[in-house]
Amino acid sequence: MKKKLKVTFFKSLRFRILLILVIIGIVPSFIVKSAIVNSYENRAVSLKRVNLKNQCDILGNQLMKENYLEHPESEVINSELSMLSAIYNGRILIINKDAKIIKDTYDIDVGKYSLSQEVIQCLNGQIASNYDDKNAYIELTSPLTGPDPDQIEGVMLVSISTSEIEDSIEMLERRGNLILCIICILVSVLGYLLAGILVKPFARVTKSIEDLTDGYLDEEISVPDYTETELITNAFNKILARMKTLDESRQEFVSNVSHELKTPMTSMKVLADSLVGQENVPIELYQEFMQDIAVEIDRENKIITDLLSLVKMDKKAADLNIAETNVNELLENILKRLRPIASAKHVELVLESFRPVVAEIDEVKLSLAFSNLVENGIKYNVQDGFVHVSLNADHKYFYVTVTDSGIGIPKESIDRIFERFYRVDKSHSNEIGGTGLGLAITRSAIVMHRGAIKVRSEEHQGTTFSVRIPLIYIA
């Protein structure tokens, strides 16, 4: 359990904000500390070199005045060399122009020859100065010149310790590390608290969603602290509104279908009970009752057929039986089948084909879709009205429009007519019949063909459905 909580924390926004704040706080501090230490080291070494060069120049002048290269036994000069060596905790070599060591403050190499690169360069007029931070010393060469500055008579080679600089750097490092630790702790604590404050609105969003899903809240959630939380809550509220709408539609559908299924069953039960409860029923009455029962069975069958059609439309497009189909003949057959229904309502059916159209479609599914559009145009029409169906095509799509002179669709319902189970006028729809699934079935069939359907309508001004479907099916 602890491991799970730990993993969750490391994946959380709070941890990431804390990590960013720590990096922002620590990295610059580390850079500043390194810059200060390096700056101090460079400055200290530079000052050490300047002081040492000045001392060497002064002492070198005294050496040449006393003709020390010829008489290295001068006690005054030797005393000053020893004192300078002691002050700087270093070693001084006096070398003549033949590269022979005539004085060594350590009394080790007197009489030997020094052929190091630094000495040779100095004899040739190139002053050398090296700083070895690993071994903590500075090595400096200073030329010894006579009356003629261009004539180099010898070399003063000085090596001094920089241990005091290294000690100071070490002390600075320790203090810098201590300050870094303090900064790290402060940044971590403050960062943790600040991260908690920053993510608190997101926690409120989570809590509000949990309360809402658990049933403690019925209203929309609102956390306007940040733009991000406001966008999240707005998106969630839209989803919630959509879910509520779908839930209401489902409840309405269950109620409608239950009523639609129960009504024919009730009628058949009453008719059957009437026949069973009577003796010597006249054949005419028996036939009349059986005819009524057959009508109710047809009504029940229509509801079940619509439900099965919708279930089939929910399947994947791979279930389509695509074949080249003459769309002109398809529409002619649909109108031929629906003309009796139109005639009963005195509605005129008109088909206008602008050109022959052959397309790759599932004939059964699109036939059902177009039938629903035409049949709705008939059902929701006015006496002596019309339903006009037109067919056209271009190089890529074919277009079917179904226009009627019916009662129209209210503006507030146009965006919802393709929802499953939605019925515009429930009282009027119950009188006409239907389950509110027709347009949902139609849209599903058209979308499965990678097509599109649009509607344009005004109340009491009729309705126009426009369908566009590719001539060649795109799998």
Side-chain angles (χ1 to χ4, degrees):
M1 187 66 172
K2 290 182 179 179
K3 186 177 180 181
K4 185 176 180 181
L5 291 173
K6 185 177 181 181
V7 172
T8 303
F9 173 73
F10 285 122
K11 288 184 178 180
S12 66
L13 178 62
R14 185 171 191 172
F15 171 74
R16 294 178 184 181
I17 293 175
L18 174 61
L19 183 62
I20 292 171
L21 292 174
V22 169
I23 292 174
I24 292 174
I26 298 302
V27 172
S29 301
F30 180 81
I31 294 173
V32 169
K33 186 207 83 169
S34 299
I36 291 174
V37 171
N38 290 334
S39 176
Y40 168 78
E41 182 178 13
N42 294 333
R43 178 67 175 166
V45 171
S46 177
L47 290 174
K48 198 84 168 177
R49 280 175 174 165
V50 171
N51 291 334
L52 182 60
K53 182 67 171 60
N54 292 334
Q55 293 292 337
C56 289
D57 289 342
I58 295 171
L59 187 56
N61 291 332
Q62 292 181 349
L63 286 174
M64 297 309 294
K65 287 179 181 179
E66 296 288 337
N67 196 19
Y68 186 80
L69 294 177
E70 299 297 332
H71 305 284
E73 64 277 358
S74 172
E75 294 183 2
V76 174
I77 299 299
N78 287 332
S79 175
E80 289 187 5
L81 289 173
S82 298
M83 184 173 63
L84 183 63
S85 175
I87 291 173
Y88 285 100
N89 189 23
R91 181 183 182 185
I92 301 174
L93 299 178
I94 306 299
I95 305 167
N96 62 20
K97 61 182 178 181
D98 296 326
K100 183 179 180 181
I101 301 173
I102 62 172
K103 176 62 179 179
D104 180 2
T105 55
Y106 280 9
D107 294 327
I108 297 175
D109 294 329
V110 176
K112 295 181 181 179
Y113 290 88
S114 176
L115 298 176
S116 66
Q117 184 178 357
E118 292 80 5
V119 172
I120 295 173
Q121 288 178 347
C122 188
L123 288 173
N124 292 328
Q126 298 178 6
I127 299 175
S129 175
N130 297 321
Y131 169 57
D132 189 340
D133 57 343
K134 291 183 179 179
N135 297 312
Y137 73 88
I138 295 175
E139 187 175 73
L140 177 69
T141 57
S142 179
L144 301 176
T145 60
D148 185 3
D150 296 329
Q151 184 67 34
I152 299 175
E153 301 293 337
V155 175
M156 182 184 295
L157 178 63
V158 182
S159 299
I160 64 171
S161 173
T162 58
S163 57
E164 72 278 6
I165 297 177
E166 296 300 321
D167 292 341
S168 299
I169 292 173
E170 186 178 351
M171 180 187 68
L172 284 176
E173 288 278 0
R174 285 199 303 269
R175 292 183 178 180
N177 291 334
L178 178 61
I179 293 173
L180 277 179
C181 290
I182 295 172
I183 291 174
C184 184
I185 293 172
L186 290 176
V187 169
S188 299
V189 173
L190 294 176
Y192 185 82
L193 296 176
L194 181 59
I197 294 172
L198 291 175
V199 301
K200 195 172 183 180
F202 293 96
R204 289 211 305 274
V205 171
T206 304
K207 182 67 168 58
S208 298
I209 293 175
E210 288 176 350
D211 290 344
L212 194 63
T213 53
D214 290 340
Y216 297 117
L217 293 176
D218 295 326
E219 300 178 355
E220 295 180 345
I221 63 174
S222 176
V223 184
D225 299 56
Y226 307 138
T227 302
E228 291 77 8
T229 58
E230 190 171 5
L231 291 173
I232 292 171
T233 54
N234 288 341
F236 181 80
N237 288 333
K238 288 180 181 178
I239 296 173
L240 183 65
R242 180 69 175 168
M243 290 175 61
K244 287 181 178 179
T245 301
L246 291 175
D247 187 56
E248 290 172 0
S249 298
R250 270 195 299 270
Q251 291 179 3
E252 182 180 340
F253 165 73
V254 172
S255 176
N256 290 339
V257 171
S258 298
H259 176 74
E260 294 290 340
L261 291 174
K262 187 176 181 180
T263 300
M265 295 294 291
T266 302
S267 299
M268 286 186 285
K269 180 73 166 60
V270 171
L271 292 169
D273 288 344
S274 298
L275 290 176
V276 172
Q278 298 182 43
E279 295 181 0
N280 301 322
V281 178
I283 187 68
E284 295 82 4
L285 182 62
Y286 185 85
Q287 288 178 342
E288 181 184 349
F289 277 27
M290 291 304 295
Q291 196 171 23
D292 291 340
I293 290 174
V295 170
E296 296 298 331
I297 290 174
D298 289 340
R299 182 179 171 189
E300 189 96 0
N301 187 56
K302 176 66 171 63
I303 298 172
I304 294 172
T305 301
D306 280 353
L307 289 171
L308 292 176
S309 298
L310 187 61
V311 171
K312 290 179 182 179
M313 293 299 175
D314 280 335
K315 294 183 179 180
K316 296 180 181 178
D319 295 333
L320 290 174
N321 297 315
I322 300 297
E324 284 195 354
T325 305
N326 189 316
V327 182
N328 304 72
E329 293 181 2
L330 174 67
L331 293 175
E332 288 172 2
N333 291 333
I334 291 173
L335 266 63
K336 182 179 179 180
R337 179 167 53 83
L338 294 176
R339 267 200 176 86
I341 301 174
S343 298
K345 285 201 65 173
H346 303 285
V347 174
E348 180 185 10
L349 288 183
V350 179
L351 173 61
E352 184 178 14
S353 298
F354 290 92
R355 68 191 76 240
V357 178
V358 176
E360 296 178 358
I361 60 173
D362 185 318
E363 183 177 356
V364 174
K365 288 183 172 60
L366 275 191
S367 177
L368 178 60
F370 293 141
S371 296
N372 283 336
L373 293 178
V374 177
E375 193 171 357
N376 279 351
I378 296 170
K379 285 182 179 180
Y380 296 97
N381 218 311
V382 296
Q383 195 75 11
D384 299 320
F386 68 85
V387 176
H388 181 267
V389 182
S390 68
L391 172 65
N392 204 346
D394 56 23
H395 67 285
K396 191 173 182 181
Y397 300 98
F398 72 88
Y399 306 88
V400 175
T401 60
V402 179
T403 303
D404 64 62
S405 58
I407 60 177
I409 303 171
K411 185 176 180 180
E412 64 273 11
S413 298
I414 287 180
D415 293 335
R416 298 189 59 192
I417 58 172
F418 294 110
E419 293 180 7
R420 297 177 181 182
F421 330 128
Y422 184 76
R423 302 169 80 175
V424 177
D425 187 345
K426 300 173 181 59
S427 59
H428 193 58
S429 297
N430 288 334
E431 293 174 5
I432 295 174
T435 60
L437 299 174
L439 288 179
I441 293 171
T442 298
R443 182 180 179 278
S444 295
I446 293 170
V447 170
M448 288 174 75
H449 284 80
R450 305 293 189 270
I453 181 171
K454 294 182 180 179
V455 60
R456 186 176 67 256
S457 180
E458 291 184 19
E459 283 192 273
H460 311 299
Q461 298 296 322
T463 302
T464 298
F465 286 93
S466 302
V467 178
R468 185 195 70 189
I469 296 176
L471 292 169
I472 300 175
Y473 177 71
I474 304 172

